[in-house]
Amino acid sequence: MSIGYGIVGCGMMGREHIRNIALLPDAHVAAIFEPDSEMLAAALALAPDARPAASVADLLAMDELDCVLIASPNHRHLAQLEEIAELRPLPVLVEKPLFTDAADEKRIAVLQARLPLVWVAMEYRYMPPVAAFLEQAGDATGGIRMLTLREHRFPFLSKVGDWNRFNRNTGGTFVEKCCHFFDLMRLILKSDPVRVTASAGQAVNHLDERYDGETPDILDHGYVLIDFASGARAMLELCMFAEGSRYQEELCAVGSNGKIECLVPGPGRFWPAHLGPAPVPQLIVSPRNPPGPQVLEIPVDPPLLAAGDHNGSTYFEHARFVAAVRGQGKVEVTLQDGCWAAIMGLSAQRSAREGRTIHLAGEFALPT
């Protein structure tokens, strides 16, 4: 039996999900709720057999649904999860961030009890070069003591109504953009954070834009330092006016035995044609003894690259999610994982805003 998805939200990311679901042999898009008529038409062009829905409630009333994907604007995620829990608690794949306000954290425990299966979409885990980094980092380093994640990329894209221009809708850049990286930090280090210190600002992007007289308030660059319970340290470096870079994401872990790096290019559609073929992802292992880097290219299948902007990861994520819906696999990114990523992002936002270190145990009821 093919698993029928109900899609909530079909902007850029929602349509990437639809293209990748179409590549799965055992899943299909059964229904779509998208209030913007232009986005709905674009989504139905990708999934012509899907039924349009007038609301989340209308979508949930359709018998052909086996699961739901939420890819709506950030500030809608939590309320839509609660609506699903109330009306029809189907398995859900919900885009990050799980929530956008520190006060929302207390609502997660209720969802945990009422929804049988929730998977928080963290595509970066499933990029083939990042997956290889995750698999080899422990042995290559002999135990990670320092972890650096760097993203040098293009500014925020324009979305419906440009909802992503304001912190009140996104949770802030460190929540909207960086949940993936904070999730990776916990996954790589196998430890939870205890302190967050950030320095950030808005220096270049969106300063000449106005929305009902308001100037966007989202950060476009910054650093975040995080201390973990294990004693390991991690740093995030973000710059959103560096689209001229050869690689968009760079991961680096160092331990007593050596160093491992991962280099990931950005979306192929943004690579300048005059430069020839887009870069291929790389994994670089640099042992201390004998010294010398070992470079491995990790290409991604062209059909997967063409289906989205995340190096094939959305396809692999859906394949695992469908297995979990069928009872043939486990949830790999839990509500607790999503909660931690949001807390780390919100803490970075607060640290940058208030100029102080955030001690997480004193600020949040931390997930267990």
Side-chain angles (χ1 to χ4, degrees), residues 84-104:
I84 294 166
E86 174 69 24
L87 297 178
R88 188 180 173 192
L90 290 168
V92 183
L93 176 64
V94 57
E95 265 296 340
K96 58 78 193 166
L98 196 53
F99 53 85
T100 58
D101 190 298
D104 294 334

mmCIF file of all heavy atoms in Angstrom, residues 84-104:
data_model
loop_
_atom_site.group_PDB
_atom_site.id
_atom_site.type_symbol
_atom_site.label_atom_id
_atom_site.label_comp_id
_atom_site.label_asym_id
_atom_site.label_seq_id
_atom_site.Cartn_x
_atom_site.Cartn_y
_atom_site.Cartn_z
ATOM 1 N N ILE A 84 -3.743 18.906 14.711
ATOM 2 C CA ILE A 84 -3.691 17.499 14.296
ATOM 3 C C ILE A 84 -3.901 16.581 15.496
ATOM 4 O O ILE A 84 -4.643 15.593 15.428
ATOM 5 C CB ILE A 84 -2.349 17.198 13.591
ATOM 6 C CG1 ILE A 84 -2.265 17.968 12.276
ATOM 7 C CG2 ILE A 84 -2.172 15.710 13.348
ATOM 8 C CD1 ILE A 84 -0.884 18.007 11.672
ATOM 9 N N ALA A 85 -3.251 16.900 16.612
ATOM 10 C CA ALA A 85 -3.407 16.091 17.824
ATOM 11 C C ALA A 85 -4.855 16.070 18.298
ATOM 12 O O ALA A 85 -5.346 15.048 18.798
ATOM 13 C CB ALA A 85 -2.502 16.630 18.928
ATOM 14 N N GLU A 86 -5.554 17.180 18.128
ATOM 15 C CA GLU A 86 -6.940 17.289 18.577
ATOM 16 C C GLU A 86 -7.902 16.577 17.640
ATOM 17 O O GLU A 86 -8.813 15.861 18.080
ATOM 18 C CB GLU A 86 -7.317 18.771 18.681
ATOM 19 C CG GLU A 86 -8.781 19.032 19.006
ATOM 20 C CD GLU A 86 -9.156 18.624 20.414
ATOM 21 O OE1 GLU A 86 -8.246 18.573 21.268
ATOM 22 O OE2 GLU A 86 -10.348 18.348 20.650
ATOM 23 N N LEU A 87 -7.718 16.756 16.322
ATOM 24 C CA LEU A 87 -8.716 16.279 15.367
ATOM 25 C C LEU A 87 -8.452 14.868 14.849
ATOM 26 O O LEU A 87 -9.394 14.094 14.666
ATOM 27 C CB LEU A 87 -8.790 17.246 14.174
ATOM 28 C CG LEU A 87 -9.241 18.671 14.493
ATOM 29 C CD1 LEU A 87 -9.210 19.522 13.231
ATOM 30 C CD2 LEU A 87 -10.645 18.664 15.094
ATOM 31 N N ARG A 88 -7.182 14.545 14.587
ATOM 32 C CA ARG A 88 -6.854 13.228 14.020
ATOM 33 C C ARG A 88 -5.353 13.000 14.179
ATOM 34 O O ARG A 88 -4.566 13.402 13.327
ATOM 35 C CB ARG A 88 -7.256 13.167 12.542
ATOM 36 C CG ARG A 88 -7.135 11.772 11.934
ATOM 37 C CD ARG A 88 -7.565 11.817 10.476
ATOM 38 N NE ARG A 88 -7.319 10.560 9.795
ATOM 39 C CZ ARG A 88 -7.394 10.398 8.481
ATOM 40 N NH1 ARG A 88 -7.724 11.420 7.705
ATOM 41 N NH2 ARG A 88 -7.148 9.216 7.937
ATOM 42 N N PRO A 89 -4.932 12.347 15.237
ATOM 43 C CA PRO A 89 -3.493 12.227 15.549
ATOM 44 C C PRO A 89 -2.746 11.251 14.635
ATOM 45 O O PRO A 89 -2.337 10.162 15.032
ATOM 46 C CB PRO A 89 -3.493 11.765 17.002
ATOM 47 C CG PRO A 89 -4.808 11.086 17.190
ATOM 48 C CD PRO A 89 -5.782 11.786 16.296
ATOM 49 N N LEU A 90 -2.552 11.693 13.414
ATOM 50 C CA LEU A 90 -1.780 10.919 12.443
ATOM 51 C C LEU A 90 -0.282 11.111 12.673
ATOM 52 O O LEU A 90 0.142 12.060 13.332
ATOM 53 C CB LEU A 90 -2.120 11.390 11.018
ATOM 54 C CG LEU A 90 -3.514 11.057 10.480
ATOM 55 C CD1 LEU A 90 -3.763 11.854 9.196
ATOM 56 C CD2 LEU A 90 -3.654 9.558 10.217
ATOM 57 N N PRO A 91 0.558 10.236 12.106
ATOM 58 C CA PRO A 91 2.002 10.498 12.110
ATOM 59 C C PRO A 91 2.310 11.809 11.388
ATOM 60 O O PRO A 91 1.701 12.121 10.361
ATOM 61 C CB PRO A 91 2.583 9.299 11.345
ATOM 62 C CG PRO A 91 1.552 8.223 11.489
ATOM 63 C CD PRO A 91 0.230 8.920 11.506
ATOM 64 N N VAL A 92 3.257 12.580 11.934
ATOM 65 C CA VAL A 92 3.560 13.907 11.391
ATOM 66 C C VAL A 92 5.065 14.068 11.179
ATOM 67 O O VAL A 92 5.867 13.713 12.048
ATOM 68 C CB VAL A 92 3.087 15.027 12.344
ATOM 69 C CG1 VAL A 92 3.357 16.400 11.715
ATOM 70 C CG2 VAL A 92 1.610 14.881 12.677
ATOM 71 N N LEU A 93 5.415 14.607 10.026
ATOM 72 C CA LEU A 93 6.761 15.129 9.770
ATOM 73 C C LEU A 93 6.621 16.646 9.755
ATOM 74 O O LEU A 93 5.934 17.205 8.891
ATOM 75 C CB LEU A 93 7.291 14.629 8.423
ATOM 76 C CG LEU A 93 8.655 15.166 7.963
ATOM 77 C CD1 LEU A 93 9.763 14.723 8.903
ATOM 78 C CD2 LEU A 93 8.971 14.720 6.538
ATOM 79 N N VAL A 94 7.210 17.321 10.734
ATOM 80 C CA VAL A 94 7.058 18.764 10.859
ATOM 81 C C VAL A 94 8.388 19.451 10.609
ATOM 82 O O VAL A 94 9.413 19.072 11.173
ATOM 83 C CB VAL A 94 6.479 19.158 12.241
ATOM 84 C CG1 VAL A 94 7.342 18.632 13.382
ATOM 85 C CG2 VAL A 94 6.322 20.672 12.367
ATOM 86 N N GLU A 95 8.361 20.454 9.739
ATOM 87 C CA GLU A 95 9.574 21.207 9.460
ATOM 88 C C GLU A 95 10.068 21.934 10.710
ATOM 89 O O GLU A 95 9.298 22.274 11.608
ATOM 90 C CB GLU A 95 9.337 22.220 8.341
ATOM 91 C CG GLU A 95 9.730 21.723 6.955
ATOM 92 C CD GLU A 95 11.218 21.437 6.821
ATOM 93 O OE1 GLU A 95 12.013 21.949 7.626
ATOM 94 O OE2 GLU A 95 11.575 20.687 5.905
ATOM 95 N N LYS A 96 11.369 22.153 10.766
ATOM 96 C CA LYS A 96 11.949 22.962 11.834
ATOM 97 C C LYS A 96 11.602 24.422 11.573
ATOM 98 O O LYS A 96 11.284 24.791 10.429
ATOM 99 C CB LYS A 96 13.460 22.736 11.917
ATOM 100 C CG LYS A 96 14.230 23.064 10.617
ATOM 101 C CD LYS A 96 14.440 24.534 10.411
ATOM 102 C CE LYS A 96 14.893 24.903 9.047
ATOM 103 N NZ LYS A 96 14.781 26.360 8.765
ATOM 104 N N PRO A 97 11.639 25.283 12.585
ATOM 105 C CA PRO A 97 11.788 24.965 14.003
ATOM 106 C C PRO A 97 10.470 24.502 14.599
ATOM 107 O O PRO A 97 9.392 24.840 14.113
ATOM 108 C CB PRO A 97 12.212 26.307 14.610
ATOM 109 C CG PRO A 97 11.521 27.322 13.743
ATOM 110 C CD PRO A 97 11.559 26.745 12.352
ATOM 111 N N LEU A 98 10.564 23.741 15.663
ATOM 112 C CA LEU A 98 9.374 23.222 16.315
ATOM 113 C C LEU A 98 8.537 24.344 16.918
ATOM 114 O O LEU A 98 7.313 24.290 16.923
ATOM 115 C CB LEU A 98 9.802 22.226 17.392
ATOM 116 C CG LEU A 98 8.765 21.283 17.959
ATOM 117 C CD1 LEU A 98 8.034 20.519 16.866
ATOM 118 C CD2 LEU A 98 9.437 20.310 18.932
ATOM 119 N N PHE A 99 9.195 25.365 17.455
ATOM 120 C CA PHE A 99 8.495 26.532 17.974
ATOM 121 C C PHE A 99 9.404 27.747 17.864
ATOM 122 O O PHE A 99 10.606 27.616 17.614
ATOM 123 C CB PHE A 99 8.004 26.323 19.412
ATOM 124 C CG PHE A 99 9.065 25.882 20.390
ATOM 125 C CD1 PHE A 99 9.879 26.799 21.034
ATOM 126 C CD2 PHE A 99 9.240 24.531 20.676
ATOM 127 C CE1 PHE A 99 10.841 26.396 21.942
ATOM 128 C CE2 PHE A 99 10.202 24.117 21.582
ATOM 129 C CZ PHE A 99 11.014 25.050 22.223
ATOM 130 N N THR A 100 8.823 28.945 18.064
ATOM 131 C CA THR A 100 9.559 30.178 17.816
ATOM 132 C C THR A 100 9.625 31.106 19.023
ATOM 133 O O THR A 100 10.195 32.195 18.924
ATOM 134 C CB THR A 100 8.907 30.957 16.652
ATOM 135 O OG1 THR A 100 7.537 31.218 16.989
ATOM 136 C CG2 THR A 100 8.964 30.159 15.364
ATOM 137 N N ASP A 101 9.064 30.697 20.142
ATOM 138 C CA ASP A 101 9.039 31.527 21.340
ATOM 139 C C ASP A 101 9.339 30.650 22.539
ATOM 140 O O ASP A 101 8.819 29.531 22.640
ATOM 141 C CB ASP A 101 7.661 32.181 21.485
ATOM 142 C CG ASP A 101 7.627 33.243 22.571
ATOM 143 O OD1 ASP A 101 7.858 32.899 23.751
ATOM 144 O OD2 ASP A 101 7.360 34.412 22.255
ATOM 145 N N ALA A 102 10.164 31.150 23.452
ATOM 146 C CA ALA A 102 10.544 30.354 24.625
ATOM 147 C C ALA A 102 9.329 29.924 25.434
ATOM 148 O O ALA A 102 9.320 28.837 26.034
ATOM 149 C CB ALA A 102 11.508 31.152 25.501
ATOM 150 N N ALA A 103 8.272 30.731 25.428
ATOM 151 C CA ALA A 103 7.073 30.395 26.189
ATOM 152 C C ALA A 103 6.348 29.182 25.626
ATOM 153 O O ALA A 103 5.519 28.561 26.321
ATOM 154 C CB ALA A 103 6.132 31.597 26.226
ATOM 155 N N ASP A 104 6.647 28.821 24.364
ATOM 156 C CA ASP A 104 5.966 27.687 23.731
ATOM 157 C C ASP A 104 6.487 26.336 24.195
ATOM 158 O O ASP A 104 5.856 25.304 23.944
ATOM 159 C CB ASP A 104 6.125 27.767 22.207
ATOM 160 C CG ASP A 104 5.412 28.955 21.613
ATOM 161 O OD1 ASP A 104 4.435 29.431 22.227
ATOM 162 O OD2 ASP A 104 5.830 29.417 20.534
#
